[in-house]
Amino acid sequence: MPTVKSLDDLKKIREEALKKQQLKETAGKSEVIVGMGTVGIAAGARETLKAILDMIEAENLSDIVVRQTGNIGLDSFEPIVQVILAGQEKVTYGKVSPDMAKRIMKEHVVGGEIITEYQIKE
Amino acid sequence: MRELALHILDIAENSISAGATRIKVSVNENLKDDLLRIIIEDNGRGMDIATLARITDPFVTSRTTRKVGLGLPFFKAAAEACEGSLNIQSEPGVGTTVTVFFKHSHIDRMPLGDLCSTLLTLILGTPDVHWLFEYRMNDETFEFDDEPVKEALAGVSLTEPAVMRFIREMIEEGIADTRQKASHAIDHRQ
């Protein structure tokens, strides 16, 4: 089936992304992980992850790796989001709604400030 | 779970946990035969006959963090409540295929839901897996293979904003287009 999107378009996107990466080579990547086990999914983890992706798209945030993982083992705190900034300790947040996820993206991942009120102390 | 797309996500997570490197998700809405078919096919480590026999039992799970696994039994119950079925074929070292049928028009059938979000979660969130997706409605088909996309990106992250937008629109438009063509074909027949 013909699609309006071609891989040539994607190659252009790639060139642009590489140019941006060269500009901020030293910054390093941030990692955001969302728990996606059965309990997490039932508690709304997909919507939490979607809010994170929407935020990256809307705010044009580069150099953020978003990962999903199976069960983290903290069922009563699902949905769980973990943030690892380059060279820093992992921070674990619990019961993260889409709105909370957006705040985490803005204040912690971009701003570098941990939101202690959402944090789970392991 | 209130969406079939969330169940699909849950079953695909099992495939990831089973070490699969290639996972195919197929959704087929066959309105002529009033059937909705979902297949999740992986090349993970598979299960032996004994495990397979017990796998839809709510008190069996391969996980170690908690003793009760509810994903598969819930999905099976949802299908059976809609004159459907859930079958698992598995072979150790080869992989597992989960096939689920629903009567499409059944009043208790939960909506398909946000398929695109489920696929983006899987494709972007587990970039090491080769993902294949097929969406079919009647005679129209949309296929997505993430390998050519990854090849074209040559190392640039899938979660770069422009890349993500590209993949999201590709899938959203593919599904919408297929639905539109399929319903046009129905209009023509009438």
Side-chain angles (χ1 to χ4, degrees):
Chain A
M1 193 186 72
T3 164
V4 279
K5 304 227 165 291
S6 78
L7 290 175
D8 288 333
D9 296 334
L10 192 61
K11 282 175 185 151
K12 277 178 218 146
I13 291 171
R14 176 178 181 269
E15 299 303 319
E16 291 297 314
L18 281 178
K19 268 184 225 160
K20 267 200 292 185
Q21 258 175 23
Q22 279 158 4
L23 290 176
K24 43 183 288 188
E25 197 69 69
T26 50
K29 283 199 189 299
S30 307
E31 211 176 332
V32 182
I33 304 161
V34 183
M36 206 60 70
T38 302
V39 177
I41 295 169
R46 192 193 63 185
E47 278 57 46
T48 297
L49 190 138
K50 185 172 188 289
I52 291 166
L53 298 179
D54 286 349
M55 193 77 179
I56 290 175
E57 232 189 275
E59 305 285 321
N60 219 17
L61 307 175
S62 259
D63 289 317
I64 298 169
V65 176
V66 181
R67 295 265 179 171
Q68 55 143 345
T69 183
N71 190 271
I72 293 171
L74 295 160
D75 284 354
S76 50
F77 293 102
E78 298 279 6
I80 289 169
V81 173
Q82 296 179 315
V83 175
I84 308 166
L85 300 187
Q88 291 184 28
E89 290 278 304
K90 176 169 75 188
V91 175
T92 302
Y93 294 111
K95 297 190 178 177
V96 181
S97 68
D99 283 342
M100 285 162 71
K102 286 186 177 169
R103 202 182 142 197
I104 291 167
M105 290 302 287
K106 198 174 275 177
E107 293 180 23
H108 186 177
V109 178
V110 178
E113 293 288 325
I114 296 171
I115 306 171
T116 47
E117 56 185 294
Y118 296 167
Q119 217 180 337
I120 307 174
K121 304 284 182 198
E122 281 174 274
Chain B
M1 290 184 208
R2 284 176 240 98
E3 288 178 24
L4 292 176
L6 288 175
H7 281 286
I8 293 172
L9 179 57
D10 186 41
I11 303 304
E13 294 293 332
N14 293 345
S15 298
I16 297 166
S17 306
T21 55
R22 184 182 184 279
I23 304 172
K24 183 174 181 182
V25 175
S26 314
V27 175
N28 184 348
E29 297 196 69
N30 183 338
L31 304 178
K32 292 173 202 162
D33 298 331
D34 196 15
L35 277 177
L36 173 60
R37 189 191 66 191
I38 295 165
I39 303 175
I40 296 120
E41 193 181 346
D42 72 51
N43 67 349
R45 69 179 69 93
M47 290 170 282
D48 57 29
I49 290 169
T51 312
L52 194 55
R54 293 174 301 150
I55 200 74
T56 52
D57 181 328
F59 300 103
V60 170
T61 176
S62 62
R63 59 195 277 172
T64 49
T65 48
R66 190 167 54 81
K67 289 289 175 226
V68 186
L70 290 172
L72 268 171
F74 270 143
F75 202 13
K76 187 177 161 80
E80 286 171 354
C82 300
E83 295 171 46
S85 62
L86 181 147
N87 281 295
I88 309 169
Q89 276 182 303
S90 192
E91 203 179 315
V94 177
T96 302
T97 301
V98 177
T99 306
V100 196
F101 280 101
F102 284 84
K103 182 178 177 180
H104 197 287
S105 66
H106 199 285
I107 187 118
D108 290 328
R109 181 181 65 79
M110 65 184 97
L112 208 41
D114 192 350
L115 258 184
C116 190
S117 284
T118 285
L119 295 169
L120 286 177
T121 300
L122 294 168
I123 294 164
L124 306 179
T126 30
D128 298 337
V129 173
H130 174 194
W131 290 99
L132 294 142
F133 171 62
E134 186 187 280
Y135 174 77
R136 195 176 166 91
M137 183 179 263
N138 296 340
D139 299 323
E140 300 294 332
T141 309
F142 164 66
E143 285 177 278
F144 178 83
D145 179 345
D146 76 348
E147 205 155 75
V149 170
K150 285 172 185 165
E151 273 167 21
L153 284 172
V156 166
S157 166
L158 293 168
T159 44
E160 278 306 300
V163 174
M164 203 157 73
R165 184 174 305 121
F166 179 90
I167 297 172
R168 181 175 58 73
E169 287 175 354
M170 203 172 181
I171 295 172
E172 275 174 358
E173 285 165 16
I175 294 173
D177 210 42
T178 306
R179 284 186 172 149
Q180 202 184 1
K181 279 185 188 157
S183 51
H184 268 301
I186 290 169
D187 291 343
H188 269 283
R189 270 206 315 274
Q190 284 166 348

